[in-house]
Amino acid sequence: MRMSVAKQVLLHVVVLAMIVGLVFPVLILVFNSLKTETDIFASPVGPPHAVTWDNFRRVLTDPRFATNLRNSAVVATATVLLSVIVTAPAGYALSRFKFRGRTVFSMWLLATQAFPGIIMVLGLFFVLKRYDLINRLPGLIIMHTSFSMPFSIWLLKGYFDKISVEIEEAARIDGCSRLQSLVKVVFPLAVPGFLAVATFSLLLSWNEFFFALVLMRDNAHYTLPVYLVRFLGSGGVVQWGPLSAAALLITIPVFVLFLLGQRYLVSGLTGGAIK
Amino acid sequence: MARTRLLAHRGRSWTEERGAIPFLLPALAVLCLVSLYPLIRGVSRVFYVYRALTRQDVFSGFENFGLLFKDPVFFRAFGNSLVWTVVSVAAMFFISYVLATLLNSRYLRFRRFLRATTLIPWAIPGVVVSLIWRYIFLSDGPANALLSAVGVANPPAWLTSPQLALWTCIIANIWMGLPFVTIMLLAGLQSVEGDILEAAAIDGASYLQSQLRVVMPSIKKVILIVLTLEAIWTFNSFDIVFVMTKGGPGSASMTLPLYAYQNAFMYYQAGYGAAIGVVILAVLLLAVVLYIREVLQ
């Protein structure tokens, strides 16, 4: 069954057209961030006539941007670390132990995906208020961790499933305790899994908007997505140049890290789903 | 032999039930504190109504649900949410299936590079995606500039037209969801053996027949997982509509999560917002139950 040359050409044309559709909107954002306001509406599609860095300068000299960048970085880093620490043992347990309530636990994890944000946030007010965590970064960190957990546990279970039990048993015969064999043998083998979880929770936390919008009350505590929407809302006319520059600056860090981590995430997701 | 028996013995104690507890404890603690407990407290809000006069939440039984069923905006938002979810997920599935099939072709050059490029929208924050598409569909933005260039006399006002606003948001949502669906389907397709397809072709199956009767059934589980997750995420999604149209014009593009947010945080009707949340929860749990039944079969 060889494909004719004409069909092969068609295949490439169609794929390229679809990829352009996926990439072009991002390119428009890049163009706008380098255009003057008049240029943006004079030629809404094409590249800038004359490159200006004013938009970036304006965002980077805004002290609120620096504060909110720091908040986003703190929340995302803490979420990533906490997610890995909490989900590693749970994923291991789900992979290795046969315990009562195992099915219920798995279903509960799936069901949490369906919980509406509004219900969670209304209920969380009680918890966060009691510990004085409203308008505080730790409150947001705990939230983001709880969102990333179900998926992360499922991802890690897949990775632990791939590590054979014999390796652990061999370590045990060599005199390792369960904890030692876990730390010295199993966890090092599961590093790709941890990277998958890290990429997933980083993306989730950095991009999360709804809870940050509702729980954070002032400029000193906003994260970058909220900063961006505030930027959009300030004043009557939307200034697309600086807005695009801000949007791009918010996207770049997580984009770079995503490129580095995506192959672990993809193999983790797809590995779990196929089985 | 002795060694194997030893291993078997140790293997049993290795999977002992009690041993699982310390491993699960941290995850269970977090889940109970920030998932189970808030869920219960959040749902219980539905039985309270905020009285502006006394500035207090008063227990009011099912009053919020009563109000809900007399509220035309709620019904509008409910209908919109169904359209938003069904159309988004169906389109994501169709486009992604085609893209994944093409990306899976062994005749495609630069496959690794092209596959990585399809992931790009995944890494972009939801609010940024919404801003990009809001700009694209401005009345003097790129979409209309292209339409004018090909000779359309009166290009529409996408975001402010009651007929188009929701559909414009749907386009942005589809774009954002494509990478995840494509990559999952692609992984499924890669697991399909080439010989079944050749066998189908020898039996005289057309291309479409072999896709529908052979390929799709053999990756049924992946399809099911992706569709369920994507439907749940889309039904719950907030960012795009909030940034692109705020539910407007009027309530033309209002969805349930946005309406719940507005009630709870702009009109200070937390109980009413919770009631809308309970409706969302009911719809989504139905989806989860159907999914679990299908998977367990």
Side-chain angles (χ1 to χ4, degrees):
Chain A
M1 287 207 299
R2 259 202 77 78
M3 204 183 230
S4 68
V5 176
K7 270 189 178 171
Q8 285 190 41
V9 172
L10 187 68
L11 168 75
H12 286 84
V13 170
V14 176
V15 170
L16 274 180
M18 291 176 102
I19 301 269
V20 166
L22 286 171
V23 175
F24 196 66
V26 186
L27 217 55
I28 287 183
L29 184 73
V30 177
F31 289 163
N32 276 357
S33 69
L34 298 169
K35 285 178 183 174
T36 60
E37 213 63 20
T38 36
D39 199 9
I40 284 177
F41 286 102
S43 63
V45 186
H49 289 121
V51 171
T52 170
W53 295 99
D54 283 351
N55 298 323
F56 286 100
R57 213 167 285 139
R58 231 190 90 182
V59 177
L60 289 171
T61 53
D62 179 359
R64 281 177 307 167
F65 181 79
T67 318
N68 296 349
L69 173 68
R70 197 192 62 97
N71 290 345
S72 270
V74 168
V75 171
T77 311
T79 301
V80 166
L81 292 176
L82 208 58
S83 294
V84 173
I85 292 169
V86 172
T87 59
Y92 178 79
L94 219 51
S95 164
R96 289 291 193 268
F97 294 98
K98 303 271 173 285
F99 52 91
R100 263 169 292 170
R102 195 169 175 275
T103 324
V104 177
F105 184 66
S106 314
M107 283 181 188
W108 172 255
L109 289 181
L110 180 68
T112 55
Q113 295 286 308
F115 295 166
I118 189 75
I119 295 273
M120 303 312 287
V121 94
L122 288 174
L124 263 163
F125 262 99
F126 293 101
V127 183
L128 296 180
K129 228 184 220 160
R130 181 178 308 159
Y131 299 103
D132 197 22
L133 285 176
I134 291 184
N135 198 24
R136 295 283 185 79
L137 299 184
L140 204 56
I141 293 167
I142 297 172
M143 278 321 303
H144 288 176
T145 305
S146 83
F147 294 151
S148 89
M149 274 175 50
F151 227 81
S152 303
I153 292 176
W154 182 60
L155 267 176
L156 281 179
K157 179 195 174 292
Y159 274 96
F160 286 126
D161 282 346
K162 276 187 261 175
I163 301 168
S164 74
V165 188
E166 280 83 39
I167 295 179
E168 272 178 84
E169 282 167 353
R172 213 182 185 192
I173 286 167
D174 289 346
C176 281
S177 72
R178 187 202 296 278
L179 204 63
Q180 278 175 324
S181 82
L182 205 60
V183 173
K184 287 187 184 158
V185 180
V186 182
F187 281 175
L189 288 171
V191 165
F194 297 147
L195 290 174
V197 168
T199 312
F200 177 75
S201 46
L202 172 78
L203 220 57
L204 184 147
S205 173
W206 188 269
N207 297 352
E208 199 279 328
F209 172 61
F210 179 72
F211 283 81
L213 174 76
V214 174
L215 295 178
M216 300 296 133
R217 297 296 174 74
D218 53 44
N219 280 325
H221 295 93
Y222 290 148
T223 54
L224 288 175
V226 184
Y227 171 85
L228 196 65
V229 170
R230 293 268 147 181
F231 204 109
L232 176 76
S234 63
V237 182
V238 179
Q239 291 186 297
W240 286 99
L243 191 67
S244 305
L248 209 59
L249 286 170
I250 289 170
T251 308
I252 288 168
V254 76
F255 192 81
V256 171
L257 290 171
F258 175 80
L259 286 185
L260 296 174
Q262 51 92 8
R263 72 196 168 96
Y264 303 106
L265 180 57
V266 167
S267 77
L269 285 176
T270 50
I274 303 303
K275 270 188 280 123
Chain B
M1 264 322 257
R3 197 179 153 82
T4 347
R5 224 179 302 129
L6 183 72
L7 276 177
H9 169 72
R10 289 188 182 239
R12 244 197 328 276
S13 70
W14 209 244
T15 56
E16 200 182 352
E17 194 173 15
R18 262 179 311 150
I21 297 170
F23 291 95
L24 288 169
L25 218 54
L28 278 176
V30 176
L31 277 179
C32 286
L33 186 69
V34 289
S35 170
L36 186 59
Y37 180 72
L39 180 76
I40 295 165
R41 284 309 287 259
V43 170
S44 73
R45 277 307 281 266
V46 93
F47 302 112
Y48 292 84
V49 170
Y50 181 72
R51 304 275 184 228
L53 204 64
T54 54
R55 292 192 184 166
Q56 269 177 338
D57 281 320
V58 182
F59 184 81
S60 60
F62 287 91
E63 191 183 324
N64 279 317
F65 286 110
L67 292 170
L68 208 59
F69 292 116
K70 278 183 253 156
D71 180 357
V73 181
F74 165 73
F75 285 105
R76 184 75 196 258
F78 193 95
N80 281 349
S81 272
L82 289 181
V83 172
W84 158 259
T85 306
V86 172
V87 174
S88 293
V89 175
M92 278 178 210
F93 177 71
F94 180 75
I95 300 172
S96 295
Y97 192 88
V98 172
L99 184 57
T101 307
L102 298 178
L103 286 174
N104 194 34
S105 165
R106 60 200 153 112
Y107 295 104
L108 187 70
R109 310 255 173 115
F110 310 113
R111 258 187 296 182
R112 277 172 63 97
F113 172 73
L114 291 172
R115 282 175 192 168
T117 339
T118 45
L119 296 179
I120 286 176
W122 197 4
I124 311 220
V127 283
V128 175
V129 170
S130 319
L131 280 178
I132 296 177
W133 287 95
R134 181 167 152 174
Y135 171 75
I136 289 178
F137 284 114
L138 283 178
S139 54
D140 45 1
N144 282 352
L146 288 176
L147 285 178
S148 303
V150 296
V152 178
N154 284 315
W158 301 90
L159 294 164
T160 49
S161 142
Q163 286 80 35
L164 289 176
L166 182 67
W167 295 89
T168 310
C169 296
I170 287 176
I171 292 175
N173 191 47
I174 294 169
W175 185 82
M176 191 162 79
L178 285 178
F180 178 75
V181 182
T182 305
I183 225 67
M184 295 294 275
L185 292 178
L186 180 59
L189 291 174
Q190 283 168 338
S191 71
V192 176
E193 306 284 335
D195 3 338
I196 345 176
L197 278 177
E198 299 213 358
I202 289 164
D203 287 346
S206 73
Y207 183 73
L208 196 65
Q209 275 176 329
S210 67
Q211 285 295 327
L212 290 174
R213 302 252 170 86
V214 182
V215 180
M216 281 198 194
S218 57
I219 60 168
K220 190 177 147 204
K221 198 183 158 198
V222 187
I223 293 178
L224 215 67
I225 291 175
V226 174
L227 292 188
T228 313
L229 282 176
E230 205 55 70
I232 289 173
W233 292 337
T234 302
F235 201 76
N236 258 333
S237 115
F238 174 83
D239 303 6
I240 291 181
V241 181
F242 179 83
V243 174
M244 284 180 75
T245 64
K246 283 252 166 29
S251 53
S253 60
M254 184 68 77
T255 58
L256 289 176
L258 182 61
Y259 193 46
Y261 162 80
Q262 289 186 344
N263 276 290
F265 295 100
M266 290 166 73
Y267 316 141
Y268 300 102
Q269 296 297 329
Y272 198 67
I276 299 166
V278 168
V279 173
I280 300 174
L281 184 65
V283 173
L284 291 181
L285 283 184
L286 192 72
V288 170
V289 167
L290 288 176
Y291 167 80
I292 289 175
R293 263 185 48 184
E294 190 69 28
V295 167
L296 288 186
Q297 261 171 14

